[in-house]
Amino acid sequence: MDAGSGLNANVLVLNRLYMAIRVISARRAFSMLLGDAAEVISVDDGKYTNYDFDSWVELSQYRDNFTPDYDWVRTVRMHIAVPKIIRLLGYDRLPAQTVKLNRRNIYARDHSHCQYCGKKYPTSELTLDHIVPRAQGGKSSWTNLVCACVSCNSKKGGRTPSEAGMKLLRKPVQPRRNPVINLRLGLDKYASWQNFLDNAYWSVELK
Ligand SMILES: [Zn+2]
């Protein structure tokens, strides 16, 4: 068990109306729980249970209550399970309805794969490519921006893919939901988040 990595686990934040609004680190989640700004939502077989921080700490004393995919943090006296979902107690604001167009979300939509050669790169080695170059009137939009590796981007230069004799792997689209959350949903560990995402029309903004 490693307290450090536990504190960096992801926690889905719901507003008071049980709508997902963002993802934060466990470190931040614990500080909100300690300040009574939030409660823990635990999902078991599709049923939700709400816990205030004290009862969550108490529950954490019985490891058998938890599936093995939980992260843990250790204090001097005890171990506390890292909640997967928390709910804000005083937050009525509705989530943003469109996914923010930014570098992080485009990389996440394209799963960090260059959309020309198809290879996966660390984000530090990726660039944003305007499919139709700005010089030719191309806009900065979900359908005109893709992830490209440095080499494909420089090969393409200030040309359209067809001018450069290159082909896009797929037509880029505007995601309906925050793509960073979609990536996490691929992990069994965060499967319980699905309960709050299935019927949603929203998207979230990551802080
Ligand atoms: Zn490439």
Side-chain angles (χ1 to χ4, degrees), residues 10 34-35 77 100 110 117 122 143:
N10 295 121
L34 279 165
R77 294 207 186 154
K100 246 188 165 179
D110 295 344
C117 68
T143 51

Side-chain angles (χ1 to χ4, degrees), residues 12 20-23 177-186 193 197 202 204 206:
L12 182 70
I21 49 175
R22 60 179 179 261
V23 175
R177 169 196 296 167
N178 190 300
V180 176
I181 282 202
N182 280 344
L183 290 185
R184 303 276 196 284
L185 279 176
W193 292 7
L197 301 173
W202 52 272
V204 301
L206 274 154

Side-chain angles (χ1 to χ4, degrees), residues 113-119 121 147-153 166:
H113 282 77
C114 169
Q115 294 300 294
Y116 294 101
C117 68
K119 288 193 209 117
Y121 290 89
C147 238
C149 70
V150 175
S151 138
C152 288
N153 204 343
M166 295 166 78

